[in-house]
């Protein structure tokens, strides 16, 4: 019944630094290994941190660094392409608002906080393989092999290496690959739109041909995103081979018939802050989260599409919960407990996001049916208690985890 003392964390994005900080709080020495040779301070678009994500970060004292960079988003107001208001979604009144952040800012904040706490991060360490140490039926640790020929050993290996996780494939060579949702993602900032502030509300629209969301802040800046249906998946590299101006032209074309101020926002988009994310993906279910002394966290275990608004928050939750389990139980028992505590919740959120994506990518016939049914459906769903199960989730860090 030997407790874990050391951990290798593969992946230095969002889940990796949070996992390392949580492990440190649990009394476990953690070192982060990142494939890229530099930090990712200029990669990614906007995202939201939900109250449950902030609560998870609060457990390890990292919530304030996120609040400092995030802009409040207390509700979402849905519209049809005609400009008709369909519904307004707000979280429970007793919870703080979500925070709208740019992924590079979130990455930099969490990376900086981990560094401030003395957690080592090694760059240019791309994992290629890993093996268990000790007896096959009772491993005592893990040895990781990196592309540069170096190796590292620890009691456990944690795969926080994203939706295309190498660790996931090592754990299960037949693990599912990412699923394309049928949508391309874009985002950016606009200035000088002339639009009034939307306060703490994010406005979203089911357009005739695409989906759009925006929030105008009191200082006049407007953060926006667009989801465009596209028949074929497109990687980040492929998407960025097309120039920003050409993408903006195509996006404006998609929203030309819609009666919301989308074109005003896109015309004033700041080119240097335009982001083409590429294809939006998810993985409905990863059958195996762990094997021996290896385990998955974040998108490696439960990749939800950006439509959920919960990707980063779920990653933070899982990282903290995993550390809590490793604090109290031997590795194999800890991994079983961690999966028991997390799987049902994350798969429910992934499924909900998939339903949202199907509405965003509706064809001409399905769009007519969607627009006819949406007002009634939105009125039923736009109640705080309907969303409480997502936002109210809390991790009971002080209570010991039992097998």
């Amino acid at each position: 019944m030997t407790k874990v003392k050391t951990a290798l964390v593969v992946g230095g994005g969002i889940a990796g630094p949070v996992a390392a900080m949580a492990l440190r709080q649990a009394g476990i020495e953690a070192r982060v290994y990142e494939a890229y040779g530099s930090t990712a301070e200029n990669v990614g678009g906007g995202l939201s941190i939900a109250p449950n994500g902030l609560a998870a970060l609060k457990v390890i004292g990292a919530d304030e660094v996120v609040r400092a960079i995030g802009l409040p988003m207390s509700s979402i107001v849905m519209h049809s392409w005609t400009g008709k208001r369909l519904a307004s979604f707000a979280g429970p009144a007793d919870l703080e608002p979500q925070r709208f952040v740019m992924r590079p800012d979130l990455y930099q904040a969490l990376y900086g906080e981990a560094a401030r706490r003395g957690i080592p991060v090694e760059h240019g360490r791309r994992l290629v393989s890993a093996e268990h140490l000790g007896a096959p039926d009772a491993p005592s640790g893990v040895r990781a092999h990196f592309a540069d020929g170096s190796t590292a050993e620890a009691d456990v290996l944690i795969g926080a290496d994203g939706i295309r996780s190498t660790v996931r494939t090592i754990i299960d060579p037949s693990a599912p690959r990412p699923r394309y949702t049928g949508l391309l993602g874009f985002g950016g900032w606009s200035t000088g739109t002339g639009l009034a502030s939307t306060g703490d509300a994010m406005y979203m629209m089911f357009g005739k041909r695409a989906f759009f969301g925006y929030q105008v802040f009191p200082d006049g800046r407007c953060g926006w995103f667009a989801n465009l249906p596209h028949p074929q998946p497109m990687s980040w590299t492929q998407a960025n081979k097309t120039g920003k101006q050409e993408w903006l032209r195509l996006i404006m074309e998609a929203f030309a018939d819609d009666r919301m101020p989308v074109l005003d926002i896109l015309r004033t988009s700041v080119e240097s802050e335009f982001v083409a994310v590429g294809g939006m993906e998810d993985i409905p279910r990863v059958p195996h989260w762990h094997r021996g002394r290896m385990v998955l966290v974040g998108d490696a275990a439960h990749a939800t599409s950006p439509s959920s608004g919960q990707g980063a928050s779920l990653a933070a939750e899982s990282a903290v919960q995993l550390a809590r389990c490793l604090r109290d139980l031997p590795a194999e028992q800890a991994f079983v407990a961690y999966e028991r505590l997390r799987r049902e919740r994350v798969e429910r959120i992934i499924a909900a996001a998939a339903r949202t994506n199907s509405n965003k990518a509706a064809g001409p016939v399905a769009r007519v049916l969607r627009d006819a049914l949406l007002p009634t459906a939105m009125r039923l769903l736009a109640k705080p208690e309907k969303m409480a199960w997502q936002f109210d989730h809390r991790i009971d860090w002080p209570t010991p985890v039992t097998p």
Side-chain angles (χ1 to χ4, degrees):
M1 296 277 295
T2 304
K3 296 288 183 67
V4 168
K5 296 179 180 178
T6 59
L8 308 178
V9 180
V10 177
I14 303 301
V18 175
M21 287 188 281
L23 289 165
R24 170 71 65 87
Q25 183 161 304
I28 299 168
E29 179 186 341
R31 183 179 291 265
V32 179
Y33 295 83
E34 167 57 43
Y36 293 99
S38 60
T39 57
E41 294 174 359
N42 297 308
V43 179
L47 54 87
S48 62
I49 304 295
N52 50 288
L54 287 167
L57 292 170
K58 185 176 182 178
V59 170
I60 59 171
D63 54 320
E64 289 302 330
V65 298
V66 174
R67 286 192 186 88
I69 60 168
L71 297 165
M73 187 177 72
S74 61
S75 66
I76 295 173
V77 183
M78 302 297 305
H79 292 84
S80 70
W81 69 272
T82 63
K84 179 181 179 180
R85 180 173 172 142
L86 299 173
S88 177
F89 296 86
D94 59 335
L95 297 179
E96 66 177 300
Q98 299 186 65
R99 298 279 165 166
F100 178 82
V101 300
M102 297 303 290
R103 191 184 188 283
D105 296 337
L106 178 62
Y107 166 84
Q108 192 172 28
L110 294 174
Y111 185 96
E113 182 63 16
R116 188 186 69 78
R117 300 183 187 193
I119 293 171
V121 180
E122 297 192 19
H123 288 272
R125 297 294 191 94
R126 183 175 296 278
L127 182 74
V128 293
S129 65
E131 61 195 12
H132 282 108
L133 303 174
D137 58 344
S140 58
V142 180
R143 178 184 294 122
H145 296 263
F146 301 99
D148 63 1
S150 63
T151 62
E153 297 179 7
D155 294 337
V156 295
L157 185 151
I158 297 171
D161 48 345
I163 195 168
R164 286 178 168 72
S165 169
T166 298
V167 180
R168 184 172 62 235
T169 304
I170 294 172
I171 289 173
D172 177 14
S174 62
R177 297 179 62 81
R179 176 182 68 174
Y180 177 51
T181 65
L183 298 164
L184 301 181
F186 304 89
W189 287 92
S190 297
T191 57
T193 62
L195 299 174
S197 169
T198 59
D200 291 351
M202 169 76 75
Y203 284 17
M204 295 185 183
M205 179 195 70
F206 287 99
K208 290 187 74 172
R209 289 186 287 273
F211 188 85
F212 196 82
Y214 70 95
Q215 186 167 353
V216 184
F217 297 97
D219 63 2
R221 291 187 305 152
C222 176
W224 63 268
F225 71 88
N227 301 149
L228 268 62
H230 194 269
Q232 299 297 325
M234 187 176 290
S235 68
W236 182 91
T237 300
Q238 291 170 327
N240 282 273
K241 287 181 179 178
T242 299
K244 296 179 179 181
Q245 287 300 322
E246 176 61 11
W247 273 130
L248 280 169
R249 185 188 69 79
L250 292 171
I251 297 169
M252 291 176 71
E253 211 172 74
F255 293 105
D257 296 333
D258 297 318
R259 300 171 194 168
M260 291 286 283
V262 178
L263 298 185
D264 293 332
I265 294 169
L266 294 174
R267 289 190 189 101
T268 55
S269 179
V270 180
E271 185 173 345
S272 62
E273 300 197 58
F274 173 86
V275 176
V277 179
M280 294 166 58
E281 298 173 318
D282 67 4
I283 301 179
R285 189 175 192 275
V286 174
H288 303 288
W289 284 18
H290 54 88
R291 178 172 66 85
R293 293 296 187 101
M294 306 181 206
V295 67
L296 304 173
V297 73
D299 280 355
H302 45 73
T304 180
S305 83
S307 295
S308 72
Q310 283 280 359
S313 296
L314 292 182
E317 284 182 4
S318 289
V320 173
Q321 192 68 275
L322 174 60
R324 174 177 172 244
C325 293
L326 286 169
R327 177 196 66 190
D328 298 334
L329 298 170
E332 289 84 351
Q333 291 183 21
F335 294 164
V336 171
Y338 157 67
E339 183 175 354
R340 183 186 73 238
L341 290 166
R342 297 298 299 157
R343 182 181 282 279
E344 181 180 359
R345 170 172 169 77
V346 299
E347 290 184 357
R348 185 179 176 189
I349 291 175
I350 291 170
R355 290 191 292 272
T356 299
N357 287 332
S358 67
N359 279 327
K360 290 181 178 180
V365 176
R367 184 176 67 238
V368 173
L369 181 62
R370 177 199 69 194
D371 291 351
L373 296 176
L374 268 177
T376 301
M378 291 293 180
R379 281 195 296 272
L380 293 173
L381 293 173
K383 299 176 181 178
E385 60 268 25
K386 295 288 186 180
M387 302 299 292
W389 69 273
Q390 288 197 33
F391 296 151
D392 274 353
H393 187 79
R394 298 294 181 268
I395 296 169
D396 187 8
W397 180 267
T399 301
V401 181
T402 56

